[in-house]
Amino acid sequence: MSRITTAALFLLFAVAAPGFAQQVVDPDANTNVSDPAFAAGKGPVVLIDAGHAENQTLAGNYAPFGALLAHDGYVVRDFAKPISAANLAGAGVLVIAEPLNPNDPPNRPKYQSTSAFTSQEIATITDWVKAGGALLMVADHPPYAGSLRPLAASFGFDIEMYAAQHVPREEYFSLANGGLVDGPLTHGLPQIQTFYGAAFTAPSAATPLLRFDKSWTMLVTDKPPRPMTGSDLRGATLAVGKGRVVLLAEAGAWSAQLAGPKKHPIGFNAPGAEGNKRFIRNVVYWLATSAVPAVEAVK
């Protein structure tokens, strides 16, 4: 698909909010797909939540994420309606990335952020997944860790309220360094790169995708930092009843953005993120179909 067509998709999904100057959509990001999972517009419906103060929406910094999935054949829609069984009916995948609670006081420490979802919304989403729905939750560093934590906890995940830091600063997950856990959604992928996020522990039934080790540090704000272990994760899958859940703990890696005055690439447009596009396509395909992509299709 030509760059002109890609640009048109970006216009369809809108661009980054004007006031969000630190990270903006990369208008030249390559969202093309050489081997789409579905014929154009014939795939499952993917709803990207925009009703909980998210920045990562089709009208914001997840425009490239939406364009990538549209090129993969999915029907990608903004979702700003109330969370209800009726409004979720017909959705193949619900994506919730970096929600916030707008009622949190502005002077509250970021690691003390509270749930972006009411208890009723959490119960509705949980029941929807158990009945066959598919949920992609994308957390991030504070305040986005705490605001998603209660929803993730309803599936047995425990999101840390703090950020994870790597030394050296580049965040690469590969089969060679043990950070990329070999499995049907990761087999044969080159390295994954993330860009400063959070961490979580998962229930025993979950399957890890991205794993930390002792070279990482948990930046515990109100206590001394602690070294991380293999129990700390940045990505995992979980079957729940008839449905499926994926939790990822960094948001920028799955889109394509430019950060700061020097416009450093963050996401699948970054030079070190060779596997990011295929990884997120594999994740969404598994969520939407419960099947795994053919190994020979992994590129």
Side-chain angles (χ1 to χ4, degrees):
M1 187 172 288
S2 71
R3 283 293 176 90
I4 294 176
T5 306
T6 300
L9 271 169
F10 281 141
L11 289 174
L12 175 64
F13 295 146
V15 295
F20 196 71
Q22 292 303 308
Q23 289 176 228
V24 297
V25 165
D26 180 356
D28 296 319
N30 180 5
T31 61
N32 295 342
V33 171
S34 62
D35 56 340
F38 306 96
K42 300 298 184 181
V45 173
V46 176
L47 301 180
I48 301 182
D49 189 50
H52 296 86
E54 293 99 342
N55 178 64
Q56 309 290 2
T57 65
L58 289 183
N61 284 346
Y62 260 29
F65 173 88
L68 175 65
L69 294 187
H71 287 158
D72 217 9
Y74 296 92
V75 178
V76 187
R77 295 175 181 163
D78 186 65
F79 182 68
K81 296 179 180 180
I83 298 291
S84 69
N87 288 338
L88 291 174
V93 180
L94 173 63
V95 179
I96 300 172
E98 287 190 355
L100 279 175
N101 184 351
N103 295 320
D104 278 349
N107 59 346
R108 175 177 288 172
K110 292 185 183 301
Y111 71 90
Q112 294 180 3
S113 60
T114 61
S115 179
F117 298 87
T118 67
S119 57
Q120 182 57 56
E121 287 177 318
I122 291 173
T124 298
I125 293 171
T126 304
D127 290 344
W128 174 73
V129 171
K130 290 178 178 178
L135 174 65
L136 172 57
M137 296 181 289
V138 188
D140 215 315
H141 55 76
Y144 306 107
S147 54
L148 192 59
R149 194 178 195 221
L151 176 59
S154 71
F155 298 102
F157 295 102
D158 185 9
I159 300 177
E160 289 274 5
M161 298 290 281
Y162 312 101
Q165 185 179 57
H166 190 242
V167 180
R169 198 167 180 179
E170 289 77 12
E171 300 181 358
Y172 297 129
F173 295 81
S174 67
L175 295 176
N177 67 21
L180 186 64
V181 182
D182 194 15
L185 302 185
T186 60
H187 187 73
L189 290 180
Q191 70 183 11
I192 302 296
Q193 185 176 9
T194 62
F195 303 88
Y196 188 66
F200 62 88
T201 55
S204 59
T207 299
L209 296 171
L210 303 174
R211 188 192 301 277
F212 294 107
D213 60 27
K214 63 182 180 180
S215 67
W216 293 76
T217 300
M218 181 66 68
L219 301 178
V220 183
T221 307
D222 54 341
K223 301 173 186 177
R226 71 163 177 84
M228 300 176 71
T229 71
S231 296
D232 297 305
L233 304 176
R234 182 151 282 175
T237 69
L238 180 67
V240 181
K242 297 179 180 179
R244 296 159 299 285
V245 173
V246 171
L247 175 59
L248 302 173
E250 199 277 310
W254 325 119
S255 190
Q257 303 167 19
L258 301 172
K262 294 186 178 180
K263 305 297 183 184
H264 292 296
I266 288 181
F268 56 70
N269 55 334
E274 295 91 348
N276 287 39
K277 281 175 67 174
R278 188 76 236 188
F279 175 80
I280 198 61
R281 289 179 61 203
N282 287 354
V283 164
V284 174
Y285 186 83
W286 178 76
L287 283 169
T289 68
S290 77
V292 297
V295 172
E296 58 268 24
V298 175
K299 297 178 181 178

